Amino acid sequence: MCCVNESGVQQPKTTPQPSCTEPNTGLCGSSCYNPSYFRCCERNQGKSQSPLAGQLDDASTVYNPRTHVCWDGFVSEWTSWIEQSDASPGQHCCGTEVYYPHKEICCDGQRHDKKGNAHCCGGEAYDIKDPQMKCCAGKLHNLTLLGRPGHDAQCCGSILQSSQDVCCSSEDKEVLYAAKTGFLCCSHLYYNTSLWSCCAGMLSPVHKAGQHQNVTIKESRLLSLNDLSESSLCNAMQIGTMESVSPCSIVFSNVLKIHGRKASVKHLDSLHILQTPDHCSIPKLIPGNSYFFNGDKVFTDYNHNSVLQSLFFIFSKCYSP
């Protein structure tokens, strides 16, 4: 079986594109073809570059699906692929290698033995219940080697945060700053409280021309699910889709109550109104996105791309049958 990593960034083509004006024709790279009989084999590069990238032609290729198969831009004979698959039942592609999902785990194209509570962190696998292993946005940190106790380790993006640093975070950014007196977070910005005021992730100048203001110093940042203590992560919390926000409340729809230690999920009312008496401290939220919340605190999961992945992470870490 030939396996090619499906991740990477597709490079733009610089050659002029032909005009396929004939009926029943399509464009594949620099060639016109009839989709009724042929297919276009294209590379689909994502985050990481395949080790075989230099051996493959980046140009799209026309092929006959009755005789050949396309693997991420590489065309091989269909019969050869079928023979290899039949000879090795249970094999799947993991990057450029084959692996057996029932006994191995595939992490970003790297295969590892499936042991205990194995979970992916980038291309590495680790025991998700080990308190001395911390995954920060795809980078795995061994807290024992770093001399850091597991209960206080926090992430800022892929970096393990120190006690002398401050992490300011918004919907799509986590930025690390050296702590300074008189500075606070406003979204992913670290601002001087004597010059600016912050409300709901937005900065405004403290003084306006000819006007005196009584400024209340506020901090507004989106909290990370990954930095919750185990007791907070594994007890009851809620998750829902943010619909709208006002100065005193946030409306969530499709609300679920989850309990990590019990591995339970319960649906609540179709709409839930979260009271926010201090609305300036609530970060900027995007309607339609899903957030975890507990009390008046709102969290997001920077480590995972979907709610399903987040729930799987919580239950895997917290639940003990």
Side-chain angles (χ1 to χ4, degrees), residues 119 126 128 134-138 155 157 169-174 222-228 233 237 239 258 285 289-293 298-315:
H119 199 81
Y126 73 109
I128 197 173
K134 184 80 170 180
C135 181
C136 296
C155 301
S169 49
S170 61
E171 179 72 26
D172 56 356
K173 288 184 180 180
E174 291 181 282
L222 189 54
L223 302 176
S224 172
L225 194 75
N226 196 37
D227 291 334
L228 285 175
L233 180 70
M237 71 172 71
I239 182 174
I258 66 171
L285 305 177
N289 284 7
S290 296
Y291 299 94
F292 294 85
F293 56 95
V298 182
F299 305 88
T300 192
D301 187 355
Y302 292 105
N303 270 10
H304 301 100
N305 297 321
S306 70
V307 171
L308 185 59
Q309 290 177 337
S310 299
L311 293 178
F312 183 80
F313 167 78
I314 294 171
F315 295 156

Side-chain angles (χ1 to χ4, degrees), residues 148 154-157 159-170 173-193 218-223 227:
R148 298 281 300 275
Q154 293 192 333
C155 301
C156 189
I159 302 171
L160 199 65
Q161 184 180 337
S162 72
S163 58
Q164 292 79 34
D165 295 328
V166 173
C167 184
C168 298
S169 49
S170 61
K173 288 184 180 180
E174 291 181 282
V175 185
L176 197 65
Y177 299 90
K180 292 183 179 181
T181 303
F183 281 71
L184 289 174
C185 291
C186 187
S187 188
H188 61 272
L189 303 175
Y190 197 44
Y191 77 102
N192 189 329
T193 57
K218 298 289 183 182
E219 184 170 55
S220 171
R221 58 179 168 179
L222 189 54
L223 302 176
D227 291 334

Side-chain angles (χ1 to χ4, degrees), residues 72-89:
D72 191 22
F74 180 77
V75 176
S76 61
E77 289 187 16
W78 175 261
T79 53
S80 174
W81 179 80
I82 289 294
E83 288 169 359
Q84 293 178 57
S85 297
D86 288 345
S88 307

Side-chain angles (χ1 to χ4, degrees), residues 112 115 117-155 158-160 225-228 230 233 303-304 313 316-317:
H112 305 272
K115 297 178 181 178
N117 301 291
H119 199 81
C120 289
C121 181
E124 298 185 74
Y126 73 109
D127 184 349
I128 197 173
K129 291 183 179 291
D130 186 347
Q132 294 303 310
M133 303 302 294
K134 184 80 170 180
C135 181
C136 296
K139 181 174 178 59
L140 189 61
H141 298 271
N142 188 323
L143 304 180
T144 302
L145 297 179
L146 297 173
R148 298 281 300 275
H151 61 83
D152 71 346
Q154 293 192 333
C155 301
S158 61
I159 302 171
L160 199 65
L225 194 75
N226 196 37
D227 291 334
L228 285 175
E230 184 173 331
L233 180 70
N303 270 10
H304 301 100
F313 167 78
S316 298
K317 189 172 182 66

Side-chain angles (χ1 to χ4, degrees), residues 195-197 203-208 213 215:
L195 301 176
W196 301 89
S197 64
L203 284 174
S204 302
V206 167
H207 299 292
K208 295 183 179 179
Q213 292 181 313
V215 178

Side-chain angles (χ1 to χ4, degrees), residues 93 96 200 283 319:
C93 287
T96 59
Y319 180 64

